[in-house]
Amino acid sequence: MGSAAAPWKSLLLSALESNAQIKHSRFLHLATIGGNGRPSNRTVVFRGFEEGTDGIHIYTDSRSRKIEELKACPFAEKRAEAWSSISLKSRMQYLGPSPNLPYIAEQPAKEPVLDPCSGPVDAFCLLVLDPDQVDYLNLKSEERKLFKAIPCLGRETLWESERINP
C-alpha cells in the first residue's frame, strides 16, 4: 500500500532540510526484539523513501544481528538494490569482518578489492520499513503528533493524526 502524500513525511523532510548542517541529523533508532525476547536498539542512517511509497530506506550489513531479528518480523522487508547509490568508501564497509564478532587487531595481509561497476556484495542489504504509525516530536515548537495508518483495500493508505502532549 502506498501513500501519495503521508502528512508525516512532509514534517520529516522539513526537519531534515532545516537540520542538514548537523552531521548526525539523518540518524534514527531501529528497535527489534531479540531471540531472547528482550529489546535490541541500534542507531541507523535514514537514506530516503522508497519511491511512491512511505517505505523508509536503511542500508545495513546482512550479516548483522538485526537481520536475524527482522526475519521474525512479518512487517520487515529487505532488498539488495540500492548498491549503486552509495559511495565506494561505504561499499568497502561490507567487505570487512562480520559485525558483532570480537575485534581482531591484525588486519588482513591484503586490502579487499571491489570493482566499482559490480553489483552488490552478499553482505549489503537495503531495509525498507513500511510504517503504520509515526510519532512526530518537535522539541523546539513543543509539537507532538501521532499519525496512524488506516488501511484501505485497493486504495492508498489514509492517515489520521492526533496532536498529543510532548
Side-chain angles (χ1 to χ4, degrees), residues 18-38:
S18 67
N19 293 305
Q21 75 283 1
I22 301 172
K23 183 178 178 182
H24 302 297
S25 66
R26 300 186 70 79
F27 289 4
L28 57 102
H29 298 279
L30 174 65
T32 56
I33 301 298
N36 61 2
R38 297 179 62 103

Side-chain angles (χ1 to χ4, degrees), residues 76-150:
E77 175 183 351
K78 65 177 185 174
R79 299 181 185 170
E81 57 189 35
W83 185 251
S84 63
S85 68
I86 62 174
S87 69
L88 186 58
K89 182 179 178 183
S90 291
R91 292 179 193 182
M92 295 298 286
Q93 293 175 354
Y94 297 98
L95 296 177
S98 292
N100 301 317
L101 295 178
Y103 176 76
I104 299 173
E106 299 87 37
Q107 297 300 318
K110 169 174 123 171
E111 282 290 314
V113 177
L114 180 66
D115 178 358
C117 299
S118 66
V121 297
D122 289 342
F124 177 76
C125 180
L126 165 65
L127 294 177
V128 180
L129 304 178
D130 193 18
D132 59 10
Q133 183 171 313
V134 175
D135 188 341
Y136 172 80
L137 173 64
N138 183 324
L139 291 174
K140 290 180 185 175
S141 66
E142 295 186 15
E143 176 186 18
R144 184 173 178 193
K145 288 186 177 180
L146 183 61
F147 296 91
K148 292 182 183 179
I150 305 169

Side-chain angles (χ1 to χ4, degrees), residues 1-3 52-55 130 150-157:
M1 267 181 266
S3 175
T53 75
D54 300 330
D130 193 18
I150 305 169
C152 300
L153 290 176
R155 295 180 35 208
E156 293 181 346
T157 301

